[in-house]
Amino acid sequence: MVNQPHRAQAMPVPYEGLPGGIGVSRLSVYNWPATDGRRGGTPHLHLTCSEGYAVTGGSGAVQTLTADGFREIPLSPGALVWFTPGTIHRLVNDGGLTINVLMQNCGLPEAGDAVLTLPSPLLADPGAYRAAVTLPSDGSEAELAAAARHRRDLAVEGFTALREATEAGDPEPLAAFHRAAVALARPLAAAWRERWRAGAAAAAEATGDQLDQLERGDARYLARAVVRAERPAVRGRFGMCGRLDVYDVA
C-alpha cells in the first residue's frame, strides 16, 4: 500500500462582521406630530428580518400590530424589545427617544426589507408605492424632512385603518396588506438572499468551522483573530422612524 501524503486541514475563514451578521444603527426618533396627536416614526413591517430595540435615552413606546392584535409597549432607557418578520411597528416619541437598533442580515431592514403601511391604493401599484416612499436623492435638508414626514403621515393613515379593522374583528385588511407587501418585495428576494449568504449564513458557517477545529484540538484558527472599530459612516440620515447614525460593518 502506498502511503498518501498528509493534507493539513484548511483554516476556517473568520467572519469579520458584527456577531451573527447583524447590523446596527443609532436612531433619534422623529418628533413630528401625526394626525392622531402622537409623535414619532413611520409604521412598517419587515418580510425576512427580525429587529430589536435597545433604548438608550428618552421615553416613548412601540406600537405593534400582528394577527394577534394591537399592543403598545412602553420604552425607556434599558428597555430591550424585539419582534419577528410580519410585525407592523410604529415608534412613538414622548420625549428625546433614542435607540440602538439591532437588525438581522447586515442591516437589511434599513436597506430594503421594509414595506410601509400606506393606504391600499398605493400598495396596489408598485410604481406609485415607490414614488411615495422614496426620498429625493438631491433634496435640501428641508425637502428631505418634508418628504419623510409626508410618507410617515401616509403610513400612519394606513396603519390606523389596519388597526381599527383588526380591533373590530375583521382580519381581512391586515391579510390583504401582507399579500401586498409580499407582492412588492418578491422581485427583491434574490438580492436579499445573497446578502444573507454573505452575512448571517457566513457567520453561522464560520462558527461551525471553528467548532470542527476545536473538536480536533487544532488551535491554529485562533491565530487568525481580528479586531475592528468603527465610527458612524453616515450621521443624521432620514430613516423610516427617525434620524439615523449608520455604521458600515458589513
Side-chain angles (χ1 to χ4, degrees):
M1 177 182 292
V2 178
N3 291 329
Q4 296 295 324
H6 173 73
R7 294 184 179 180
Q9 293 287 337
M11 285 292 97
V13 177
Y15 179 76
E16 298 184 14
L18 281 174
I22 67 168
V24 63
S25 62
R26 182 178 182 275
L27 172 65
S28 298
V29 179
Y30 291 134
N31 195 39
W32 303 322
T35 53
D36 62 358
R38 307 298 296 271
R39 298 173 181 271
T42 307
H44 61 280
L45 61 64
H46 304 297
L47 292 104
T48 63
C49 298
S50 291
E51 185 173 78
Y53 296 151
V55 182
T56 57
S59 63
V62 58
Q63 297 180 339
T64 64
L65 183 64
T66 69
D68 290 331
F70 173 82
R71 291 182 66 187
E72 181 164 317
I73 302 168
L75 299 178
S76 60
L80 181 63
V81 179
W82 67 96
F83 38 84
T84 61
T87 303
I88 299 174
H89 48 288
R90 175 198 183 189
L91 280 170
V92 174
N93 185 359
D94 291 333
L97 185 59
T98 57
I99 296 171
N100 286 338
V101 182
L102 310 175
M103 299 164 281
Q104 269 192 307
N105 299 314
C106 303
L108 182 58
E110 278 287 352
D113 179 19
V115 173
L116 280 56
T117 56
L118 302 189
S120 54
L122 291 172
L123 294 169
D125 182 341
Y129 175 83
R130 297 296 171 198
V133 303
T134 302
L135 302 184
S137 59
D138 56 354
S140 67
E141 181 87 358
E143 290 169 336
L144 287 168
R149 186 168 182 172
H150 177 65
R151 74 178 181 184
R152 190 284 308 268
D153 291 342
L154 286 173
V156 169
E157 177 185 341
F159 174 74
T160 301
L162 293 173
R163 174 184 171 181
E164 289 175 348
T166 301
E167 292 183 322
D170 182 2
E172 176 53 28
L174 182 58
F177 173 72
H178 290 165
R179 293 192 295 270
V182 167
L184 286 167
R186 184 179 180 186
L188 307 173
W192 294 357
R193 184 179 296 276
E194 291 307 309
R195 192 183 187 103
W196 163 74
R197 283 178 176 148
E205 183 176 355
T207 300
D209 289 340
Q210 290 157 1
L211 288 169
D212 290 342
Q213 297 285 331
L214 181 60
E215 289 180 339
R216 287 195 293 267
D218 187 345
R220 291 175 299 161
Y221 74 95
L222 296 174
R224 302 187 65 180
V226 297
V227 178
R228 287 187 57 182
E230 299 287 344
R231 303 290 294 177
V234 178
R235 292 185 182 271
R237 191 182 76 188
F238 285 93
M240 289 177 287
C241 295
R243 302 296 294 267
L244 292 168
D245 292 346
V246 181
Y247 296 83
D248 183 9
V249 295

